[in-house]
Amino acid sequence: MKKYTDLQDIDNIEALVNEAIQLKKNPYQFLDLGKNKTLVMLFFNASLRTRLSTEKAARNLGMQVIVMNVNAAWELEFEEGTIMNLTASEHVKEAAQVISQYADCIAIRAFASLTDKEKDLQEMVLSSFQKYASVPIVNMESATAHPLQALADAITLKEFSGKKKPKVVLSWAPHPKALPHAVANSFVQMMQLLEVDLCISHPKGYELSDAVVKNTTVIYDQEEALRDADFVYVKNWSSFQSYGQVLSQDPTWMMTQEKLGTAKFMHCLPVRRNVVVEDAVLDGPNSLVIAQANNRTYAAQIVLKNLLENQ
Amino acid sequence: MKKYTDLQDIDNIEALVNEAIQLKKNPYQFLDLGKNKTLVMLFFNASLRTRLSTEKAARNLGMQVIVMNVNAAWELEFEEGTIMNLTASEHVKEAAQVISQYADCIAIRAFASLTDKEKDLQEMVLSSFQKYASVPIVNMESATAHPLQALADAITLKEFSGKKKPKVVLSWAPHPKALPHAVANSFVQMMQLLEVDLCISHPKGYELSDAVVKNTTVIYDQEEALRDADFVYVKNWSSFQSYGQVLSQDPTWMMTQEKLGTAKFMHCLPVRRNVVVEDAVLDGPNSLVIAQANNRTYAAQIVLKNLLENQ
Amino acid sequence: MKKYTDLQDIDNIEALVNEAIQLKKNPYQFLDLGKNKTLVMLFFNASLRTRLSTEKAARNLGMQVIVMNVNAAWELEFEEGTIMNLTASEHVKEAAQVISQYADCIAIRAFASLTDKEKDLQEMVLSSFQKYASVPIVNMESATAHPLQALADAITLKEFSGKKKPKVVLSWAPHPKALPHAVANSFVQMMQLLEVDLCISHPKGYELSDAVVKNTTVIYDQEEALRDADFVYVKNWSSFQSYGQVLSQDPTWMMTQEKLGTAKFMHCLPVRRNVVVEDAVLDGPNSLVIAQANNRTYAAQIVLKNLLENQ
């Protein structure tokens, strides 16, 4: 692994998941690997789980960690050839080259704008850093992908799955705010790499990008989609076609214990209780959300370990 | 010690203070204790001394430290059963469980609102984290208590006291802003645990909670209260009865060198010069405020040491 | 070295630069020097390079690093004898003494106001901390000086200079905002310590302080100044006489490849492309800006090493 910006950076997902599960049993066995190595984490957006789990993962490997919360005081220019006489005081060309000299790995969080579809699809921030940096880039959730979350999801699925080919349903849920597609995209792409029977369910108008969905089954009737599910991953996203719009907040799409039945419940967190999913599910025995969050550490750690080993 | 949210978590205050004074002589003797252990510090309010001293204490024990300044970007829900369709994006149930997986100890600062007395007395933030977390919670100043400050005060008192039972006066001081009761509460409660002759002095209307004061002497006449004092702890707080109100800014309550006489002067800092106390006191030989601030490190360190040893 | 607040703290610049270049070859050879030592970094202004390079430098020496971004929530009082009943909640007297107990070195960034010339020249923040702190102070850019940048510049010059006495030109450049004089001041003062042929070029009205310029040549005609230059350091600053004013944004002062010729290009970064300097220079082979930024680490590290060795 030379970078971890999307799931295509994974050579062998089975092996990676197994390696992560082994690592989890003894997280401190590679403390020497990160000696005198520095992870710089750049947050263009706020973070709880990603911040804590990735920092912990790096420290579990003996790395130094420097966290930068990027804000209005440090505005970057991303376009080529601009006359920089407005608000941006530094070009990403310099920023990426400079930080590369202080870091052995740069992890970046930069959400979708949800207003400029083309820019979001270009992954302006992430791809610019990747273009100019001389050290590996890790995606801590970009405009279109959240591959660390998807890896944690794969680890969790492996830990809790008894079947050879479980049925996995990604079910859209209502939410008061317009949310990005990154988690849903990466979850779908990850499931496409695994031996699972995947289907996606959402109201009409909430179709994810064709480039992501490919030939995955989409069922607009949630009840039909959930039938015989082993794992139900619930997540809100805004419309992709009517880009960034909230087309529906239909509460009948909220996940309930009755709908879930005996399936395992997954969500990336944070989750709005009694809007996305009812209390009974989250507080019940079939919720995997806390285990998923725990696996964020080992997903990040196995990625960083791979990057360190390939430097 | 299984947690340190209030002074009732202390088994034996004498022993704890003595242990802290020993630790201070060689702060790095337990560097292995915190190996591969992580302290997550959550600041719902800003901090200087608490941030620096607690972080230093943890590092003195070899712990990793992750600091999160919680702000508007991460609003937590604390009520049960809410339909979370407003601003809070995460419930403390998930937050506390999740952070517990990344941390071996969670330290929390969450001040009083001074507007909602009932909520403040319930210690909504601290008690919710304590309810749902699976690792020890440390109080870095909550709505009603500041037990790390009180422990630093006890250490300082021990270091500077020549008497068997010194006279200690907690004297209210004027301040332009409405301040919480946490420091005063914990100081009173700590003194009640020690062999001291304690009295509290403040203008009428500034009575602290009965649950804190118990049978401690309250003297409304500052001059009378200060007579023969060995230690004078000066602190402003807002009214408890007229909750959060500034009833008086009477400058005659400011501590002066003349009033102090030969007594030692204590204050938790930050302190407003020439409002709470005159320059002559702070710059004079009887001020213990810098020593007190130094003892914040050893107070935090002895608490963290106890928590680590009992895990 | 007992502190590093300005270039006068350097005993022997030749030796220091050579030591830094040696250190760069094996940055981790003094990991024991900083064991159980803490650097507290106080940022009164935002920072990228200085934050990352100084933190990395400290960690390269095995130090603990605690970063405090000082904001409106912690307003300091600097004047003596004030009645502190306004917004400042803590006096620098207490702050500096207290932080000195948690730190083995305090690094401070506090920019010029550019509105109050007298206060800026007094270096209120830096000098106050220096007055009351009991540990060494490092200047991470103050109102009038940026000695860590100047040291990185000296290291870079040494690395890239083939001549015994190269010609170095400091050339003013246009900029949409009013910028401080700190970088220009320290660069001039550093060059005055070295074996170089220095001249300064800027439009009339942009004269730097006489106390800085001394007998250094000033040439108002940029073309004449640049003739036969070996190194061209480009930097914007606001007027010193008409304090903090932007008198000119004359684009003909922008550095171009044509003007630069075969000279090496230097800039402290961040730099506004096509305002201060055209793309062709920054993207060309004669730009040293990335190397300069890299040397920030070793400048900071050699300073911290000296301070630790002299404690």
Side-chain angles (χ1 to χ4, degrees), chain B residues 3-52:
Chain B
K3 63 180 179 72
Y4 191 66
T5 56
D6 58 49
L7 298 185
Q8 296 178 325
D9 294 314
I10 299 174
D11 277 338
N12 182 334
I13 181 62
E14 281 282 332
L16 196 69
V17 165
N18 287 332
E19 217 190 326
I21 290 171
Q22 286 307 310
L23 192 64
K24 191 175 173 178
K25 293 178 187 164
N26 184 2
Y28 307 111
Q29 62 189 299
F30 300 105
L31 270 171
D32 284 341
L33 195 61
K35 193 162 190 275
N36 298 332
K37 302 283 184 184
T38 301
L39 172 67
V40 169
M41 298 170 77
L42 295 181
F43 289 99
F44 290 85
N45 304 94
S47 171
L48 171 69
R49 263 156 292 278
T50 298
R51 158 75 197 280
L52 294 176

Side-chain angles (χ1 to χ4, degrees), chain C residues 96-167:
Chain C
Q97 288 180 79
V98 165
I99 298 174
S100 293
Q101 299 180 120
Y102 307 143
D104 299 279
C105 179
I106 303 173
I108 297 170
R109 161 161 288 199
F111 287 173
S113 67
L114 292 184
T115 52
D116 186 334
K117 189 173 187 172
E118 208 182 332
K119 225 179 199 169
D120 286 350
L121 290 177
Q122 282 171 20
E123 292 282 11
M124 184 72 103
V125 178
L126 197 73
S127 61
S128 300
F129 269 93
Q130 197 182 311
K131 185 170 175 188
Y132 297 113
S134 53
V135 297
I137 301 292
V138 171
N139 181 346
M140 298 195 296
E141 188 173 342
S142 66
T144 70
H146 196 352
L148 284 174
Q149 178 66 53
L151 182 51
D153 297 338
I155 296 167
T156 311
L157 211 77
K158 172 82 180 182
E159 290 180 322
F160 287 90
S161 178
K163 278 193 188 166
K164 198 174 168 184
K165 190 173 180 176
K167 177 173 174 185

Side-chain angles (χ1 to χ4, degrees), chain B residues 53-104:
Chain B
S53 61
T54 311
E55 182 162 350
K56 190 162 172 53
R59 293 186 187 278
N60 283 358
L61 293 166
M63 297 184 84
Q64 304 283 2
V65 179
I66 304 181
V67 177
M68 291 282 293
N69 292 309
V70 179
N71 52 36
W74 184 50
E75 204 179 308
L76 285 182
E77 176 64 49
F78 292 94
E79 304 284 352
E80 296 274 332
T82 329
I83 297 172
M84 289 172 60
N85 57 0
L86 299 172
T87 54
S89 61
E90 178 147 27
H91 199 284
V92 67
K93 278 193 192 186
E94 273 72 53
Q97 289 180 79
V98 165
I99 298 172
S100 293
Q101 298 180 118
Y102 307 143
D104 298 279

Side-chain angles (χ1 to χ4, degrees), chain A residues 69-90:
Chain A
N69 292 309
V70 178
N71 52 35
W74 184 52
E75 203 177 310
L76 285 182
E77 176 63 50
F78 292 95
E79 304 283 353
E80 295 275 331
T82 328
I83 297 171
M84 288 172 58
N85 57 0
L86 299 172
T87 53
S89 60
E90 177 146 28

Side-chain angles (χ1 to χ4, degrees), chain B residues 172-175 203 206 246-254 259 275:
Chain B
W172 181 91
H175 196 282
Y206 277 98
V246 175
L247 303 180
S248 161
Q249 298 194 26
D250 182 357
T252 67
W253 277 82
M254 181 176 78
K259 289 185 199 174
V275 175

